[in-house]
Amino acid sequence: MNKIVNNIVFLFLIITLNMLGSRSDSQLRSLENPDKQTMRGESSKRSDKLLEIPRKKLNMRLYTEQEQKIQDYINSKAVTISIIALVGVYAILIFVIVALEELMDETEFNNVSVILSWIELGILIVFILEIAVGIYAWGLMKYYKDKWLILDTLIILLSLFFVIFELADQKTSNVVKVIQAVFRFLRIFLLIRKAQTFRRLTTISTISTPAEKIVRFLLELKEVIELESMKLDIDYCIDKIGSNQLYQMGKLDEDNAEAMGWLNQSQQGRTDVRKIVNNDQQQQQKKVLANFQKLNIPKRVLEILDKQHDDLYIDPFECDKLSAGEGLVYLMLFLFEYYNLYEVFLIKPKIVRSYFEEVTKGYIDNPYHNRVHAQDVAQTCNFLLNRCKFIEIGQLDEQDIACVLIAGAIHDYGHPGLTNAFLINSKNDLALTYNDQSVLEMFHPSQCFKIAWKNQKANIFENLPFQKYRRIRESIISMVLSTDMAHHASELAITNSRVTSPDFEPYGKDKQRLMDLVVHSSDVSNPTKNFQIYKEWTERVLTEFWSQGDKERELGLPISYLCNRYTTNMAEAQLGFIDYVVKPTFSCVQGFLPAFEPYFDNLDKNKTQWQELIGYYKQQLASIQPQ
């Protein structure tokens, strides 16, 4: 009979080791990288019809303060580790009992087994207390939502019965011994389950962003509930977080509808940083001027770029006029020379000129999303790089600088003057091509890389080593994707959490995220500039929006935020834009670029001017209302 018992024990041992060794990789991956696996995963594929389901109110038990404290204590890392250790001791105890029973004669074993049984009884009592405290803290029904806990309790109670039975000096049959050994060994499965819980606990503790913690918590909560309506609610929450729609409005109140519509458009550096820019400014300027003269750049344009290439207040409209529409080309030629980027790309200036001439041609003559906007964004990127010292704080090398400038220049290439929402709702070919995901932001870099590889005379990437090209391509695409307003709120929240984190590394693991924000903030930077230039851009962008609204009205599509020319007050819209988008964005920028602080006041100054114009635009709206 002992052989039978031993065979059963070793059979369970093999099963246990196999289960430990074959831990699901997919589960571990979902824990290790929830940002990619969860937040951008299958949750975004839920049907839009689900969004129309009324959210059911959940009848949930309200816990007392004492019960909540006990819950926190039970879930604490210290208690979890202690229980795991106790289960481990119990597992060792089982193997010791089995081994001694095989090695000792019956009399010797009976003497030793009494001591071992008392130890086992003590461990089982601790497990009983754990269950009792858990039932008290969560309630009976809530505690046993996890059906495995029912099996745990049954195993513990039966094991306790057999131990007490044995200590009572009752003679046990061979069948009882077999059952007793089996129930003892089933405790090993508790070790597996507790260990997995501990692995989840330690993994979650390394997640740095609140959004990731919330998604992880929701997924774990879903595993232990049965009510389908609650699962739908959890899916809804995960979908909103995972698709970056947490801040999108459903039904907005009248006061905030247009302001919040902007959100729905689909501290420190180191003192030992390496400077990229040549400190001898006079020599650098002479060299730049000489090279531009060789390229026959208009003298007036060259003078403006020489003095204001990193100035927030440069007038992009004047530059475009003086350069006969080639302002973007001249700006990029100037900056490539200024930062010595020709040597980085191993190309001549004529290649750069050809490339950005093709890029400029690809910009459609929209009121807002046009070549002047591209020039303005690229130049604002340079303002943040140089004047605000991101080059030093982020320890950017020439390759990083090139990526930021190129991303700023191409970020709206081929923009049709329509939003992602319109393209998706109208089933446009671009939306179908890019599966409704960041449609234009996918399109812009795709076309600009094609320009290079389809025209050798304009291929600025041709001479780059493969790995360097891959890194540059990935970095540029990341920055252009960051300009999608659908991701604004969630990505800004994550960046804010990193900027204020103790392990924030602007020159290391956080560098790409900050480069993304530099391009994105430059794209929405108009309210930080002189009011006249800002107002010009505002009139242009709303003209473009209203043209889209007219198309939506004609096609019977929902009219997008700020796209209804009969209801959008230009001044009120800009107040919302500043408060809900621009201020939070540049507060974050100022967190790692303190040199931006003097320019932050422009937001309040411009806001005051818009407030004074609210009445004027109300009268203007009243005069154009349809009969």
Side-chain angles (χ1 to χ4, degrees):
M1 183 59 67
N2 285 339
K3 290 183 177 180
I4 296 175
V5 173
N6 290 338
N7 288 337
I8 293 174
V9 169
F10 286 113
L11 176 61
F12 275 103
L13 176 61
I14 292 171
I15 295 172
T16 300
L17 294 175
N18 183 60
M19 291 181 66
L20 286 170
S22 61
R23 172 76 168 148
S24 170
D25 289 338
S26 61
Q27 290 180 340
L28 292 179
R29 282 195 296 270
S30 68
L31 291 173
E32 290 167 357
N33 199 347
D35 184 55
K36 293 181 180 178
Q37 295 293 331
T38 303
M39 300 184 69
R40 300 184 186 276
E42 294 182 357
S43 62
S44 63
K45 299 178 182 178
R46 293 174 66 246
S47 170
D48 290 339
K49 292 183 179 180
L50 183 60
L51 305 183
E52 301 171 3
I53 298 176
R55 302 292 97 205
K56 297 182 179 179
K57 294 183 179 179
L58 304 178
N59 296 320
M60 300 184 70
R61 173 183 173 183
L62 298 177
Y63 295 106
T64 65
E65 183 177 354
Q66 183 180 11
E67 288 172 337
Q68 291 176 351
K69 287 182 178 178
I70 295 174
Q71 291 173 7
D72 293 338
Y73 179 72
I74 293 174
N75 287 330
S76 68
K77 194 171 182 179
V79 172
T80 302
I81 294 174
S82 300
I83 296 298
I84 292 172
L86 196 60
V87 175
V89 170
Y90 189 52
I92 294 172
L93 181 65
I94 293 171
F95 286 114
V96 170
I97 292 173
V98 172
L100 292 179
E101 189 175 10
E102 182 69 24
L103 297 173
M104 294 181 174
D105 59 41
E106 186 174 352
T107 303
E108 292 176 337
F109 176 74
N110 288 336
N111 293 332
V112 176
S113 66
V114 173
I115 298 174
L116 297 177
S117 294
W118 279 108
I119 296 174
E120 185 177 0
L121 179 63
I123 294 174
L124 290 171
I125 290 174
V126 173
F127 290 145
I128 291 291
L129 290 174
E130 179 200 8
I131 294 172
V133 172
I135 292 174
Y136 171 78
W138 278 282
L140 184 65
M141 298 301 294
K142 179 76 172 180
Y143 184 79
Y144 284 115
K145 281 283 187 180
D146 183 355
K147 297 299 184 287
W148 282 104
L149 289 176
I150 298 176
L151 178 61
D152 292 350
T153 305
L154 180 62
I155 293 172
I156 291 171
L157 291 174
L158 287 173
S159 298
L160 185 66
F161 169 77
F162 284 119
V163 171
I164 294 174
F165 188 79
E166 186 175 308
L167 288 173
D169 290 329
Q170 298 293 331
K171 293 183 179 180
T172 56
S173 65
N174 290 332
V175 174
V176 173
K177 287 183 179 180
V178 171
I179 297 174
Q180 185 177 359
V182 169
F183 274 100
R184 279 175 176 167
F185 205 84
L186 281 174
R187 295 296 297 165
I188 300 297
F189 288 102
L190 291 181
L191 177 62
I192 298 171
R193 295 190 344 94
K194 293 288 184 183
Q196 292 175 356
T197 301
F198 176 66
R199 290 172 76 172
R200 289 197 298 269
L201 181 69
T202 55
T203 303
I204 292 171
S205 67
T206 64
I207 297 174
S208 58
T209 65
E212 294 168 348
K213 290 182 180 179
I214 292 170
V215 170
R216 185 70 254 158
F217 169 77
L218 290 173
L219 288 173
E220 291 188 347
L221 179 63
K222 186 179 176 182
E223 292 176 359
V224 298
I225 63 173
E226 292 182 350
L227 191 61
E228 288 300 321
S229 61
M230 288 182 67
K231 289 184 177 181
L232 288 176
D233 286 312
I234 292 174
D235 281 341
Y236 176 82
C237 295
I238 293 174
D239 181 51
K240 293 290 105 178
I241 298 172
S243 59
N244 295 297
Q245 296 176 334
L246 192 61
Y247 294 92
Q248 285 192 358
M249 296 293 111
K251 183 178 180 181
L252 296 176
D253 60 86
E254 294 180 358
D255 293 336
N256 291 329
E258 294 187 10
M260 291 298 290
W262 285 101
L263 295 180
N264 288 335
Q265 294 284 348
S266 310
Q267 174 142 359
Q268 58 189 19
R270 289 167 51 136
T271 57
D272 58 340
V273 297
R274 179 172 66 90
K275 281 197 172 185
I276 304 300
V277 182
N278 192 333
N279 290 325
D280 189 351
Q281 293 294 330
Q282 291 183 349
Q283 182 179 356
Q284 178 74 0
Q285 288 174 1
K286 288 180 180 179
K287 182 180 177 182
V288 171
L289 291 172
N291 280 316
F292 266 99
Q293 288 168 358
K294 293 178 182 178
L295 293 171
N296 297 318
I297 303 301
K299 183 178 179 181
R300 179 59 181 145
V301 176
L302 182 56
E303 290 174 351
I304 293 174
L305 291 175
D306 183 43
K307 294 178 181 178
Q308 293 187 281
H309 64 90
D310 62 350
D311 187 351
L312 184 64
Y313 303 126
I314 190 172
D315 187 341
F317 302 107
E318 181 185 4
C319 289
D320 184 69
K321 187 182 297 183
L322 292 173
S323 61
E326 292 196 312
L328 178 62
V329 178
Y330 299 153
L331 173 67
M332 297 306 292
L333 284 169
F334 182 95
L335 295 177
F336 261 67
E337 178 61 34
Y338 188 84
Y339 292 113
N340 197 32
L341 303 182
Y342 294 116
E343 293 185 12
V344 175
F345 284 81
L346 303 174
I347 53 176
K348 295 180 180 180
K350 64 179 182 180
I351 302 294
V352 174
R353 178 170 191 142
S354 296
Y355 178 75
F356 285 105
E357 282 178 346
E358 292 299 318
V359 170
T360 299
K361 291 176 185 177
Y363 274 96
I364 300 171
D365 289 329
N366 299 311
Y368 183 82
H369 293 97
N370 52 38
R371 63 176 185 267
V372 185
H373 172 64
Q375 173 196 330
D376 187 42
V377 171
Q379 192 276 328
T380 305
C381 286
N382 188 52
F383 158 76
L384 295 173
L385 289 172
N386 199 6
R387 186 72 63 93
C388 294
K389 302 188 183 302
F390 183 44
I391 290 174
E392 296 180 28
I393 291 172
Q395 295 188 14
L396 273 62
D397 58 21
E398 291 89 344
Q399 178 176 310
D400 296 326
I401 295 170
C403 289
V404 172
L405 296 174
I406 293 171
I410 71 169
H411 83 283
D412 272 332
Y413 174 89
H415 198 294
L418 302 165
T419 65
N420 284 336
F422 180 90
L423 298 177
I424 292 168
N425 291 339
S426 63
K427 302 177 182 61
N428 185 276
D429 284 345
L430 286 178
L432 298 176
T433 299
Y434 296 105
N435 300 316
D436 298 349
Q437 303 298 310
S438 299
V439 177
L440 290 171
E441 292 73 24
M442 292 281 195
F443 169 72
H444 304 316
S446 171
Q447 296 304 302
C448 288
F449 278 102
K450 286 180 180 179
I451 288 174
W453 292 108
K454 288 186 176 181
N455 184 354
Q456 188 176 7
K457 294 181 179 180
N459 192 349
I460 61 175
F461 308 110
E462 184 175 21
N463 296 326
L464 292 173
F466 177 75
Q467 291 301 327
K468 179 179 283 190
Y469 167 71
R470 290 293 302 171
R471 288 194 295 271
I472 288 175
R473 174 174 162 80
E474 290 172 3
S475 181
I476 291 172
I477 292 173
S478 176
M479 284 182 273
V480 177
L481 287 175
S482 74
T483 63
D484 185 356
M485 284 300 296
H487 303 314
H488 167 80
S490 58
E491 290 300 319
L492 185 61
I494 294 171
T495 305
N496 265 318
S497 72
R498 290 303 307 145
V499 171
T500 57
S501 176
D503 63 340
F504 175 55
E505 292 183 3
Y507 44 82
K509 61 185 177 183
D510 295 307
K511 181 191 287 188
Q512 183 61 53
R513 177 169 287 280
L514 299 184
M515 290 165 64
D516 292 348
L517 183 59
V518 163
V519 175
H520 174 51
S521 61
S522 298
D523 193 27
V524 297
S525 64
N526 293 329
T528 67
K529 301 176 180 179
N530 291 329
F531 185 74
Q532 290 306 315
I533 292 176
Y534 171 26
K535 186 170 180 288
E536 172 74 14
W537 282 125
T538 301
E539 292 171 351
R540 285 169 172 266
V541 74
L542 285 177
T543 298
E544 197 171 294
F545 284 172
W546 292 339
S547 177
Q548 173 178 309
D550 294 341
K551 290 184 175 69
E552 289 171 328
R553 188 180 295 105
E554 184 179 325
L555 295 172
L557 298 174
I559 298 180
S560 302
Y561 286 111
L562 307 177
C563 293
N564 191 334
R565 65 172 69 247
Y566 302 113
T567 61
T568 302
N569 184 306
M570 185 179 296
E572 290 179 344
Q574 288 308 298
L575 295 179
F577 183 46
I578 291 173
D579 286 338
Y580 291 100
V581 177
V582 185
K583 266 195 172 182
T585 299
F586 280 94
S587 285
C588 185
V589 169
Q590 189 174 312
F592 66 93
L593 297 181
F596 184 78
E597 184 177 358
Y599 303 93
F600 195 82
D601 293 340
N602 291 342
L603 294 173
D604 288 328
K605 293 176 181 177
N606 288 334
K607 187 176 175 181
T608 299
Q609 297 215 46
W610 282 119
Q611 288 170 335
E612 294 173 356
L613 292 171
I614 290 176
Y616 168 77
Y617 286 110
K618 282 185 177 179
Q619 293 178 355
Q620 193 177 72
L621 282 175
S623 67
I624 64 169
Q625 292 303 310
Q627 298 298 324

